[in-house]
Amino acid sequence: YSSGDPAVRLVRGNVMLPPAPLGGRTLESVATRLGEHLLHRARPDGELVGTYLPTEDRFVPPTATPEELALAAYALTRWVNQTSADASLLPRNTKAEDVVGKIVGLLNVRLQDRNETLEPGTTALLLMTLIDAPPLRDMKAARDAAGVLHER
């Protein structure tokens, strides 16, 4: 590339769209798709599957890292909180709250395990989830454990 040559734009996969302002509907649509994607990745035990590599037909890593679990739990909590006034979404929100509860349980076990250390960002996200998720607000021991670990 030299200064006189025209700029070249490389796009892989999707067609590049012209920039457009993001409105409330667009953001709600993105939030819904992301939340549904996270629910789809959740296993019955609360683990989330890792990134699927279709060419290899496997997940890498097989399950989400603690950091990814904590971020997913917080994202699902925020999603439920934003849509809790809509009674038609109660079944979906209940499922999301169940997944969040299982993720928090997994992370809480890891918090108690002296052989596994959670990153400060992970404990911060866990702490925010415990504060923001109405069904989890009574988990004082887990909240205190995350707060003490985060302060170290």
Side-chain angles (χ1 to χ4, degrees):
Y1 175 80
S2 66
S3 61
D5 293 341
V8 176
R9 187 181 308 202
L10 175 64
V11 178
R12 286 187 165 197
N14 297 326
V15 175
M16 187 174 226
L17 299 175
L22 291 176
R25 275 196 186 135
T26 303
L27 292 175
E28 287 172 15
S29 174
V30 169
T32 297
R33 289 193 313 257
L34 178 60
E36 289 173 352
H37 173 72
L38 291 173
L39 289 179
H40 180 72
R41 288 182 62 190
R43 295 188 335 195
D45 63 358
E47 289 281 3
L48 299 180
V49 295
T51 301
Y52 181 64
L53 302 177
T55 57
E56 298 176 25
D57 193 28
R58 66 186 180 112
F59 293 92
V60 176
T63 58
T65 65
E67 294 82 6
E68 292 166 336
L69 284 173
L71 183 58
Y74 187 61
L76 287 169
T77 296
R78 296 288 306 205
W79 183 46
V80 168
N81 288 347
Q82 293 296 317
T83 60
S84 62
D86 188 341
S88 69
L89 299 176
L90 183 62
R92 183 202 73 190
N93 287 349
T94 301
K95 180 179 179 182
E97 287 173 339
D98 181 53
V99 168
V100 168
K102 289 177 181 179
I103 291 172
V104 167
L106 289 170
L107 291 174
N108 194 33
V109 167
R110 291 175 183 174
L111 260 178
Q112 307 305 322
D113 184 357
R114 299 290 178 216
N115 296 322
E116 185 167 355
T117 304
L118 296 182
E119 295 292 325
T122 303
T123 58
L125 286 165
L126 175 59
L127 191 55
M128 292 186 320
T129 300
L130 287 165
I131 291 168
D132 285 354
L136 304 177
R137 288 187 182 145
D138 293 335
M139 293 183 67
K140 184 176 180 348
R143 198 170 53 246
D144 290 347
V148 167
L149 189 63
H150 183 65
E151 291 173 1
R152 289 185 193 163

